[in-house]
Amino acid sequence: MGNRLGDALSPYLRAHAGNPVDWYPWGEAAFEEARRRDVPVLVSVGYATCHWCHVMARESFSDPEIARVLNDRFVAIKVDREEHPDVDASYLAAASAFTRDLGWPLTVFTRPDGRTFYAGTYFPPRAVQGIPSFADVLAAVDEAWRERREDLDRTADAVGEALTAASVARTEGDLPDRAALEQTVATLAQGEDRQFGGFGSAPKFPVAPVLAFLTRAGGDARELAARTLRRMGASPLRDPVEGGFFRYATRADWSDPHYERMLTDNALLLSVTAELATGPDAPAFADSLAGGLIDFLIERMQLPSGGFASAQDSESVIDGQRSEGGYYRRDAAGRAELEPPALDAKVLTGWNGLAIGALARAGSVFGDARAISAARRAADFVLATHLQSDGRLARASLDGELSDAVATLEDTGMLAGGLLALATATGDVRYATTARELVDAAAAASGDDDAFAAPGGPDPVLRARGLALPADPAEGAAPSGMTACAAAAFELFALGAGDRYRDLAERAMRSVAGIAVQRPIAFGGALEVMTRLATPLVQLVTVTSDGTDARDGELVRVARRQAASVSAFVTEAQARDFAEAGFELFDGRTARDGGGAAYRCRSFVCALPVSTGEELAALGDAEP
């Protein structure tokens, strides 16, 4: 038996390299072997910090007898869902035909052509509460394959046809106006847990994209977002020692958290906190909550290379035993005695884009130079390592080695958005022009009919088997790839790159407008972009004289906390660089009297520049 996972880029795959199971990584070779042997395929999908993935690995994939059955009667494929999100999405969709309790580990059985005939999630070593043991599942699948092949073929064909039909369903509608968005906010408010905060009962997730929408919507919606974030921040969902949020809580009061800490959740929650901290109604808790999140991202998640790890594990080793959450249940002194839970050190392009954007925006709002520096380090690493000479992006890397996984739309959109936030925080136009190139490439790939909706998915193995599905526009822990691209396009428009970018954002959002207002909990990111499209555009450019320390002055301090659709901080030379690069908002922007000047604009029509914080605050207060 060969060890095909030992040199894998994914830490998740490497963790299974010592199993007695003859694992294959995702690729053509596994399906070709299944066809040659005429056996079914087990596709096992998980990720490195997934607790129940660890449990199933210890209970089942390390069991010699189970491994013998898998090796004799199946071809087994191990997939990292974070490295191959389109593979995960395709098989999750197929698995929904067999179970309502979707999650990871995802356990899928397919024909050698990759079409699913049975699926589930975690299977225990012994049958419990109606769930069969994994050994029993393998025996039943093997028997059905050998004795009832026609039944399995009919099931696989029916699932494939249903997915194909569902994938062409369209949900276009007119973009919602302010009244429709207010009704959507009311729908979310009806689902608020008035006792503990958050939405629904248990399990409860941070739903950061929904909080971003509510924050952007203003008024009562903004208060709902602040109330939710404050309660989560004071609950067991947040680690009081190291500042990060856990992935979700199993109980309505946010207790008994699932202890893994994801880069996505913490980056997006930092972005929400930074946005809440702007304007006259900024909540008092925002500064301290943001400080803890900045510390967590930099001190726990940022790697020596500058890139950010994907997640931190829920499990640690205490007294020689694996313990879920044991590390996090200790105080600071108790933790100092232990090795921290392992990081999944895989650097994902899109997720790093979220962290870059969050730290850049937070650094700008809170005047935190360390946060901006961390964002720049990550951006420089990702651009140097993941952006190829021909303009293509890599999906992931580990220790500087690139994965062969194809980048997805989320990688393009999230990285572009992060770079734009970094450009406006630092005044470095190079990040903005690179973001524009990424958005242009994504728009060109989608053709004339749909903005940021290139059909078929990027994975070549799925495409070859007709299993690739259009990207699911629904959103959970993070915005969809289409939404991320639309958000970046709107930001480009707001910076003066041209009306075509607003058009791209509108076209993308119209494709999900019909369903987003009906299911707001699943379309928070899209609703945030729709809110920006429906809200009067407010632009703020603060210019300081070249070679001065005016960035630390009163004007800049006030400008940092001003509410605006887009806010940028540049020197006079940097303003010229932006204007020459085609960003109209910066044309003719100069400092005054050797200090600074702030230009507050409504849809590119700017008030006279002001040079004091008091004058700038008065401009903001005067707006309706």
Side-chain angles (χ1 to χ4, degrees):
M1 183 182 76
N3 181 353
R4 302 181 187 88
L5 305 186
D7 294 328
L9 179 133
S10 162
Y12 175 62
L13 269 59
R14 290 186 181 185
H16 287 78
N19 293 162
V21 178
D22 189 15
W23 291 112
Y24 281 76
W26 177 256
E28 288 283 357
F31 292 103
E32 291 172 359
E33 177 66 8
R35 185 182 302 108
R36 184 187 69 80
R37 291 171 49 199
D38 190 30
V39 296
V41 176
L42 165 68
V43 181
S44 175
V45 185
Y47 56 104
T49 59
C50 164
H51 170 65
W52 287 104
C53 299
H54 295 327
V55 173
M56 194 166 177
R58 290 193 291 266
E59 293 175 344
S60 297
F61 298 137
S62 298
D63 183 281
E65 181 56 27
I66 287 178
R68 183 190 64 78
V69 174
L70 277 172
N71 297 341
D72 290 347
R73 303 296 179 88
F74 299 83
V75 168
I77 303 176
K78 182 58 71 174
V79 180
D80 183 335
R81 68 175 294 260
E82 295 171 355
E83 188 178 16
H84 295 281
D86 43 350
V87 175
D88 176 56
S90 180
Y91 283 115
L92 270 178
S96 67
F98 303 94
T99 178
R100 296 177 60 184
D101 299 323
L102 295 174
W104 302 277
L106 182 64
T107 305
V108 180
F109 295 93
T110 83
R111 301 185 308 203
D113 65 357
R115 293 190 177 272
T116 302
F117 62 79
Y118 183 66
T121 53
Y122 164 76
F123 289 106
R126 290 172 296 280
V128 58
Q129 297 180 346
I131 303 174
S133 72
F134 190 51
D136 289 343
V137 169
L138 295 179
V141 170
D142 174 51
E143 179 186 18
W145 181 261
R146 289 183 286 106
E147 300 181 8
R148 298 190 302 279
R149 181 81 63 90
E150 291 182 358
D151 293 342
L152 299 186
D153 284 341
R154 281 193 293 270
T155 298
D157 291 340
V159 171
E161 290 168 5
L163 292 177
T164 299
S167 71
V168 299
R170 306 184 67 81
T171 63
E172 289 100 334
D174 293 332
L175 289 174
D177 57 15
R178 293 293 299 180
L181 290 166
E182 288 172 3
Q183 182 56 49
T184 302
V185 170
T187 300
L188 287 168
Q190 289 172 1
E192 182 189 11
D193 181 341
R194 297 300 181 103
Q195 182 177 5
F196 300 113
F199 303 94
S201 54
K204 291 172 80 170
F205 291 79
V207 290
V210 173
L211 299 182
F213 158 55
L214 293 170
T215 299
R216 186 71 65 174
D220 292 343
R222 188 178 176 93
E223 291 180 10
L224 173 56
R227 186 165 63 246
T228 302
L229 191 58
R230 176 177 56 80
R231 287 178 170 177
M232 289 195 311
S235 79
L237 188 70
R238 178 173 177 260
D239 178 2
V241 177
E242 296 172 354
F245 283 84
F246 301 115
R247 185 164 176 257
Y248 67 90
T250 63
R251 298 180 181 176
D253 63 356
W254 300 105
S255 64
D256 194 17
H258 193 72
Y259 284 102
E260 61 189 300
R261 299 194 286 191
M262 310 299 293
L263 181 62
T264 46
D265 292 329
N266 287 283
L268 289 167
L269 289 171
L270 176 57
S271 291
V272 171
T273 307
E275 188 61 32
L276 278 171
T278 64
D281 57 348
F285 71 85
D287 288 54
S288 61
L289 183 64
L293 285 166
I294 290 170
D295 288 344
F296 168 71
L297 289 172
I298 296 175
E299 296 172 8
R300 302 295 170 181
M301 299 296 287
Q302 192 159 31
L303 302 168
S305 66
F308 287 93
S310 300
Q312 187 172 30
D313 210 325
S314 61
E315 295 187 357
S316 57
V317 177
I318 300 178
D319 297 329
Q321 301 293 320
R322 298 285 293 184
S323 169
E324 187 198 9
Y327 174 87
Y328 301 112
R329 287 190 289 267
R330 295 197 176 192
D331 60 17
R335 291 187 196 187
E337 301 171 356
L338 302 174
E339 281 292 321
L343 294 176
D344 180 346
K346 181 173 72 271
V347 175
L348 295 170
T349 297
W351 294 15
N352 269 253
L354 294 179
I356 292 164
L359 286 165
R361 178 65 174 142
S364 182
V365 169
F366 299 107
D368 191 326
R370 185 181 64 138
I372 294 175
S373 176
R376 188 191 285 271
R377 284 185 62 220
D380 290 346
F381 171 78
V382 171
L383 292 177
T385 308
H386 291 207
L387 184 59
Q388 310 298 290
S389 59
D390 60 2
R392 290 184 298 115
L393 279 174
R395 166 71 180 168
S397 70
L398 182 70
D399 298 329
E401 179 184 351
L402 292 181
S403 166
D404 59 3
V406 182
T408 65
L409 200 59
E410 84 169 21
D411 294 307
T412 297
M414 291 175 180
L415 179 59
L419 293 176
L420 288 169
L422 185 57
T424 54
T426 63
D428 192 333
V429 73
R430 295 175 302 135
Y431 297 120
T433 56
T434 301
R436 184 173 57 193
E437 291 167 1
L438 291 170
V439 171
D440 287 347
S446 65
D448 296 331
D449 296 330
D450 297 301
F452 310 127
D459 185 81
V461 179
L462 291 178
R463 284 204 312 269
R465 284 167 173 72
L467 301 174
L469 302 176
D472 185 354
E475 301 165 339
S480 70
M482 180 179 68
T483 292
C485 286
F490 181 85
E491 196 83 0
L492 286 166
F493 159 73
L495 292 172
D499 291 344
R500 69 177 291 262
Y501 293 102
R502 182 186 178 99
D503 178 63
L504 284 170
E506 289 179 344
R507 284 166 51 202
M509 292 298 95
R510 276 197 296 268
S511 71
V512 294
I515 193 172
V517 294
Q518 299 170 16
R519 296 174 52 201
I521 201 71
F523 286 89
L527 288 166
E528 183 193 7
V529 177
M530 293 178 201
T531 300
R532 299 187 76 183
L533 289 164
T535 302
L537 182 63
V538 177
Q539 303 143 301
L540 179 61
V541 178
T542 305
V543 187
T544 55
S545 299
D546 297 334
T548 72
D549 59 358
R551 286 197 177 212
D552 296 325
E554 177 213 14
L555 176 65
V556 172
R557 287 197 298 272
V558 172
R560 293 187 189 283
R561 297 299 183 109
Q562 283 275 297
S565 308
V566 63
S567 184
F569 298 85
V570 291
T571 65
E572 287 185 301
Q574 289 173 332
R576 290 193 296 272
D577 290 341
F578 269 90
E580 291 170 2
F583 294 94
E584 175 190 344
L585 181 63
F586 297 86
D587 191 23
R589 308 297 176 213
T590 60
R592 298 174 64 187
D593 303 325
Y599 297 79
R600 192 170 180 86
C601 314
R602 295 285 293 248
S603 298
F604 298 96
V605 177
C606 302
L608 292 173
V610 297
S611 56
T612 70
E614 183 178 4
E615 291 173 314
L616 179 57
L619 278 181
D621 293 341
E623 288 190 345

